[in-house]
Amino acid sequence: MILLSVAILIAIFVAAMWLPVNMGLIGLAAALGLGVFVGGLSVKEVLAGFPTDLFLTLLGVTYLFGIASRNGAIDWLVTRAAGLLGRHTGLLPALVFLVAGTLTAVGAVGPAAVAVVAPIALRLARTHGFSALMMGLLVVHGAQAGAFSPISIYGGITNKVLASSGIAPDPMYLFLASAAFNGALALVIWAFYARREAAAGVTHEAHAEPPPALGKDGAWTLAGLAALATGALLFRVDIGFMALLVIIALAMAAPRTQDGALKQVDWSTILLISGIVIYVSLMEKLGTLAAVSDLIGQVGSPALAVLLLCYLAGVVSAFASSTALLGVMIPLAVPLLAGSTLSVMAVISALCIANTIVDTSPFSTNGALIVGNSPEAERPMMLRKLLGYAVIIVGLGPLVAWAVFVPLLGG
């Protein structure tokens, strides 16, 4: 059954390439077929893997920013953000990277930071001639750069799991390792696009424009966005739930803000992501992931076993929750370190980075937010581009993280 579940997952991607059917629908059908007819599970048990939190996040955030896009609030924010740099608008990618990283470093959940920064970054990309894909990637990698600070969610989880496993954590080592790795990756992405733009003669230098006039509805929406950021970043209220609360408040304070906003919700992306996540959750129920972990544990070389564990973390995290996987993958690494000469924090850093840099995948919350905040006509293209980048980062990211921190720094 384990081999069958892996073969079906591969078949889902192949079928989606050839058939004009949403990949999530294929994944949902495959999950129900495999779980009910082969795994002996009930339909309810199969559907228990539905990503409720991700659904709520995508629904609430895309709905709210649809409102903000229609009444001019986003245009006002974009112009203000660009004005911070004056004529040096070519540095806008660095600005969005640093803002996202700062938010997560001071304790914001990654998706909350991406939800706040991504709509502004993507609008800046359109108004100043940047690649939307590049700006989206820099937002996500910026959020990951600050994600392992000592006061962050990821950092707190990792340090607690290490302590419970009898290992003294080094919070600053982990934080700086993730920040440096994601910063270097962001520089590579930025340099790649800058070189293409230079060859094409594209320039981003521009005069600062005065912000557009903001009506009453736009002002109410800005207040709602401020409430969203405050609730999600400071009080750690679920970003999707907070967005729905703001939407309801706006419906009462400024009813006209609701006109046409529901059309901005990207239902096709929600279906795609939900179907694939349900299938991956089924694979976990059937023991596929546990079996792969057991095979890794039988590898004789600790360094090679860590590499395989990094790949397992990267591949699974591209379709599942990075936060949840931190609590699973780290304990799997602890036995590999027993009796070896590998640096504990170097190995943990490699594993944590491999687990989180794939969050640009459109099947993760962060990647899905990038797709959901793209203009409706551009979403299919953005989805395909993010899938292509996900293939590259899943294929090379864990290897590079392992090479830097295990043989180079952890030997």
Side-chain angles (χ1 to χ4, degrees), residues 21 30 104 166 173 328 373 384 398:
V21 181
T104 52
Y173 184 107
V328 176
N373 281 291
R384 288 194 293 270

Side-chain angles (χ1 to χ4, degrees), residues 41-332:
L41 301 175
S42 66
V43 172
K44 184 176 181 180
E45 288 174 319
V46 174
L47 295 181
F50 180 80
T52 306
D53 55 344
L54 180 54
F55 171 82
L56 189 63
T57 297
L58 285 173
L59 173 62
V61 170
T62 55
Y63 194 156
L64 178 58
F65 280 96
I67 293 173
S69 178
R70 291 180 62 83
N71 61 29
I74 290 294
D75 289 331
W76 189 88
L77 282 175
V78 166
T79 306
R80 284 290 187 183
L84 293 175
L85 296 175
R87 292 176 55 86
H88 304 291
T89 52
L91 296 176
L92 283 171
L95 177 65
V96 300
F97 177 88
L98 291 173
V99 170
T102 300
L103 291 177
T104 52
V106 298
V109 182
V114 173
V116 171
V117 180
I120 298 174
L122 293 178
R123 184 63 67 88
L124 287 171
R126 292 194 295 275
T127 56
H128 289 80
F130 291 102
S131 162
L133 176 63
M134 179 198 71
M135 292 291 267
L137 292 177
L138 291 189
V139 171
V140 178
H141 284 302
Q144 299 304 344
F148 285 96
S149 81
I151 61 174
S152 68
I153 300 297
Y154 282 174
I157 291 173
T158 303
N159 295 325
K160 287 179 181 177
V161 172
L162 285 174
S164 65
S165 300
I167 297 175
D170 187 343
M172 286 306 299
Y173 184 107
L174 180 62
F175 171 43
L176 294 176
S178 177
F181 194 93
N182 279 280
L185 189 55
L187 282 175
V188 170
I189 295 170
W190 190 8
F192 173 79
Y193 280 95
R195 185 174 181 179
R196 290 178 56 180
E197 291 164 354
V202 177
T203 178
H204 306 291
E205 300 294 330
H207 292 284
E209 298 179 1
L214 193 65
K216 180 180 177 182
D217 289 349
W220 275 113
T221 303
L222 281 180
L225 294 178
L228 173 72
T230 302
L233 302 178
L234 296 183
F235 298 101
R236 297 182 179 176
V237 179
D238 179 85
I239 184 72
F241 176 61
M242 191 68 205
L244 292 179
L245 291 179
V246 171
I247 290 168
I248 293 172
L250 287 175
M252 294 185 289
R256 290 183 302 175
T257 61
Q258 304 294 314
D259 295 343
L262 191 58
K263 295 179 181 179
Q264 303 296 318
V265 177
D266 189 5
W267 296 107
S268 63
T269 300
I270 291 176
L271 173 60
L272 183 151
I273 294 168
S274 299
I276 294 299
V277 171
I278 287 173
Y279 187 83
V280 173
S281 298
L282 174 65
M283 293 178 70
E284 186 175 4
K285 282 189 177 71
L286 296 178
T288 302
L289 302 184
V292 173
S293 298
D294 291 339
L295 288 174
I296 290 175
Q298 296 175 14
V299 175
S301 168
L304 180 57
V306 171
L307 174 60
L308 296 177
L309 197 59
C310 285
Y311 268 106
L312 177 62
V315 171
V316 176
S317 183
F319 301 96
S321 169
S322 298
T323 307
L325 280 174
L326 284 174
V328 176
M329 294 299 174
I330 294 174
L332 289 177

Side-chain angles (χ1 to χ4, degrees), residues 325-344:
L325 280 174
L326 284 174
V328 176
M329 294 299 174
I330 294 174
L332 289 177
V334 173
L336 302 177
L337 297 169
S340 76
T341 59
L342 298 176
S343 165
V344 172

